[in-house]
Amino acid sequence: MLRVAVVGSGPSGVYTAQSLVQLDPDVLVDVLDRLPCPYGLVRYGVAPDHAKIKSLQQNLRAVLEHERVRFLGDVPVGGDGVPPARLRELYHAVVYCVGAATDRRLGIPGEELPGSRSATEFVSWYSAHPDASPARFLHGVDTAVVVGIGNVAVDVARILARGAAELSPTDMPQAALAALAASEVREIQMVGRRGPSQARFTTKELRELGTLPDAEVVVDEAELALDPAYVDPSGLPAAQRRNVEVLRGWAATPARGARRRIRLRFFLRPVELHAVDGRLGVARFERTVPDGRGGVTGTGRYEDVPAQLVLRSVGYQGTPLEGLPFDAGHGTVPHLAGRVVRDGEASPGEYVAGWIKRGPTGVIGANRPCAKETATSLLADAPALVRRELPGDPLTLLRAAGAEPVEWAGWLAIERAEAALGASLGRRAVKLPDWPSLRAAAGPAAVGVQDPPPLR
C-alpha cells in the first residue's frame, strides 16, 4: 500500500489528498501541517467578513475526515522540526504544498520605521494566526496607506473601514475586534503605481468597498484619466472594463461626509517613508505616467501623504525549502508536472503542488487542477515507489522521535474551545489567537485518539 505525506493543509494540500484518494482506492495519505489547525489560508488569510469563501472549510473538512486521510497538525518539517530526509524515509512519497511564505518588500528608505508593516502581518493579526505579532497596529493612527491594488489590499482597506458591529458576528479574535472598535482611522488610501485598467482586484471585491455603511469611496477623475484605457475602455478585457465602470460611478458621486473615507489612488510610486517623533509620519510618492509599453515611468514630481500606518501589499514570494532545489528567480521549486527536478532529472518520491509549484498566482479554485496534475504524476510513479519497504507506521515513528502531532480529535477540541469562547463573549465561535491556547485546547485529544490506518 502506498503511503504519502502531504506537507501543508491549505487548499493545495487538501486538494492533493483528495485527488490521491479519489484516483487510487488503496493509497493512505497523512496531511501534515506545522500549525495545529487545518485549512491554511482559508482559515488564516480569507478575511473574516467573507463568510461565503470561508465556508470552503466545510469542503476541505470532508477530505480530511476521509477514512484514508489523517490530519497531523503541529508537525513542522525542516528547521527544528522533522528533517525532510527523515520524512522521505517514513513515506513512499512526499508532496510539498507550502505556498509562498513571505511578502515582497518595497525596498525604499524608511521601510523599517515603526508603523510600516506588511499587509500579511496585518491579515495574520486580525485572523488570529498564532505567529502574529501582538503589535498595536492602529494606536495613534488617523490615516492609513495601503500600497497595492490587488484583492489583499482591498481586504485590508475594507477591514480598516468596517465598524465593530459588522465584524462582531465573525470569528475575528477579541483583541483585534476591540482594537478596530477603538480605531480612530478616518482615511484609508489605497495606492497603486499603475493605472485603474491594470489593477489586480476583482470587480466583486472592488464593489464591496462601496457597500460599507460608515465609509465612502473617493476617486479623482483627473487621476483616473491619466490612464488612456480609462478614457476609452472599449479595448479592455471584460473584467478590467467592469472595474473602470465602477470607478467611473464613484468619480461621478459627490462625497457624503461618511465617518471614514477610502481614497483609491493611481499612478503613484512609493519612494520614501519619513519619521515624525520617532515613528512613521509621512509617505512620499512619485507621480508616474504610462510609458506606452504597459509600464510606467517616473515624472520627478512628488506628493507627501501624512500617514501613521503603511501596509505594503505588493505580492508574495516562495522561500527555499530545506533539502529541495529552488528557483530563486521565480520563487518556486523546479518541477515537471509536479515532480521535483534535481539536476535536470525527476527526483523519485518528491513532488510539489500549489504556489510553491507555480508561483503566487490564481484564486483558490486554481489549486484543484494543479493538485490533480501532481497527484496523477505521483500515482503514475507509484509502482516503483511502493517497492521500497517502510520502517513502520509514520505516526508511531514521529511520536517516538518526540513529535506530538495534533490529530483530528485535537482539532475538533480546538473548535469546541473556540465555540465556547465565542459564547462567553456573546459572539459566535471566536478564534484562539496564540500557540499556548491552541495547544491547551487540543489537550489530551491532540494525540493517541485516532487509530492509524494499518501498514499493509
Side-chain angles (χ1 to χ4, degrees), residues 17-33:
Q18 182 180 45
S19 290
L20 287 168
V21 296
Q22 286 179 343
L23 295 172
D24 188 318
D26 295 318
V27 66
L28 302 176
V29 182
D30 286 348
V31 179
L32 282 59
D33 203 295

Side-chain angles (χ1 to χ4, degrees), residues 153-235:
V154 173
D155 280 348
V156 167
R158 190 182 65 254
I159 293 296
L160 284 168
R162 275 207 186 279
E166 303 162 70
L167 294 170
S168 183
T170 74
D171 61 2
M172 179 178 283
Q174 189 67 17
L177 180 66
L180 286 162
S183 167
E184 296 181 354
V185 174
R186 294 296 175 264
E187 176 152 321
I188 303 109
Q189 295 202 21
M190 195 167 74
V191 184
R193 63 185 177 87
R194 298 197 291 178
S197 69
Q198 297 167 313
R200 302 294 296 273
F201 43 63
T202 58
T203 307
K204 181 179 179 182
E205 294 268 351
L206 180 64
R207 283 187 177 130
E208 194 173 359
L209 293 178
T211 67
L212 305 180
D214 294 326
E216 61 184 344
V217 181
V218 177
V219 290
D220 183 345
E221 180 78 33
E223 198 168 75
L224 297 173
L226 294 172
D227 186 347
Y230 175 84
V231 177
D232 179 14
S234 59

Side-chain angles (χ1 to χ4, degrees), residues 89-454:
E89 293 172 354
L90 298 180
Y91 294 90
H92 293 112
V94 179
V95 187
Y96 292 90
C97 306
V98 294
T102 62
D103 60 276
R104 297 185 183 276
R105 300 183 65 81
L106 299 175
I108 61 175
E111 192 168 8
E112 302 303 325
L113 283 171
S116 169
R117 308 294 290 267
S118 73
T120 303
E121 292 174 288
F122 188 64
V123 170
S124 293
W125 171 72
Y126 69 60
S127 297
H129 194 292
D131 291 339
S133 165
R136 300 166 72 188
F137 281 94
L138 305 179
H139 180 69
V141 177
D142 173 81
T143 300
V145 171
V146 183
V147 180
I149 45 176
N151 279 346
V152 174
V154 173
D155 280 348
V156 167
R158 190 182 65 254
I159 293 296
L160 284 168
R162 275 207 186 279
E166 303 162 70
L167 294 170
S168 183
T170 74
D171 61 2
M172 179 178 283
Q174 189 67 17
L177 180 66
L180 286 162
S183 167
E184 296 181 354
V185 174
R186 294 296 175 264
E187 176 152 321
I188 303 109
Q189 295 202 21
M190 195 167 74
V191 184
R193 63 185 177 87
R194 298 197 291 178
S197 69
Q198 297 167 313
R200 302 294 296 273
F201 43 63
T202 58
T203 307
K204 181 179 179 182
E205 294 268 351
L206 180 64
R207 283 187 177 130
E208 194 173 359
L209 293 178
T211 67
L212 305 180
D214 294 326
E216 61 184 344
V217 181
V218 177
V219 290
D220 183 345
E221 180 78 33
E223 198 168 75
L224 297 173
L226 294 172
D227 186 347
Y230 175 84
V231 177
D232 179 14
S234 59
L236 289 174
Q240 282 78 13
R241 193 165 60 249
R242 288 192 295 268
N243 286 344
V244 166
E245 290 169 359
V246 173
L247 293 168
R248 281 185 186 279
W250 286 334
T253 303
R256 67 179 193 274
R259 180 167 175 261
R260 291 191 172 117
R261 177 170 55 188
I262 303 171
R263 187 184 294 274
L264 301 185
R265 309 291 310 277
F266 300 94
F267 293 112
L268 290 171
R269 176 166 57 202
V271 294
E272 193 170 1
L273 303 179
H274 294 281
V276 174
D277 296 329
R279 62 161 292 146
L280 175 67
V282 175
R284 173 165 290 181
F285 296 88
E286 181 183 18
R287 171 65 66 191
T288 62
V289 291
D291 63 6
R293 301 184 301 274
V296 293
T297 185
T299 64
R301 292 184 287 113
Y302 298 90
E303 178 179 337
D304 287 349
V305 176
Q308 303 79 41
L309 176 66
V310 168
L311 299 171
R312 65 182 181 272
S313 180
V314 291
Y316 301 94
Q317 58 188 13
T319 54
L321 305 176
E322 182 181 323
L324 288 182
F326 189 70
D327 180 344
H330 294 91
T332 58
V333 172
H335 71 95
L336 288 172
R339 298 177 175 93
V340 172
V341 171
R342 295 180 183 274
D343 301 322
E345 299 289 338
S347 177
E350 295 182 309
Y351 303 85
V352 286
W355 279 3
I356 199 62
K357 171 186 173 183
R358 67 181 192 274
T361 60
V363 296
I364 291 174
N367 289 295
R368 279 188 180 276
C370 173
K372 186 172 183 179
E373 178 188 58
T374 295
T376 301
S377 295
L378 191 160
L379 293 175
D381 302 339
L385 297 173
V386 79
R387 294 183 195 132
R388 180 169 60 88
E389 185 174 348
L390 300 182
D393 176 62
L395 179 55
T396 302
L397 296 170
L398 287 170
R399 288 182 183 148
E404 297 182 358
V406 172
E407 297 184 60
W408 193 249
W411 160 240
L412 296 180
I414 291 172
E415 281 193 318
R416 291 193 295 271
E418 292 183 337
L421 174 61
S424 73
L425 296 168
R427 299 173 58 194
R428 299 175 186 173
V430 172
K431 285 179 183 171
L432 299 174
D434 53 62
W435 285 98
S437 60
L438 288 168
R439 284 171 171 154
V447 296
V449 177
Q450 268 182 285
D451 290 329

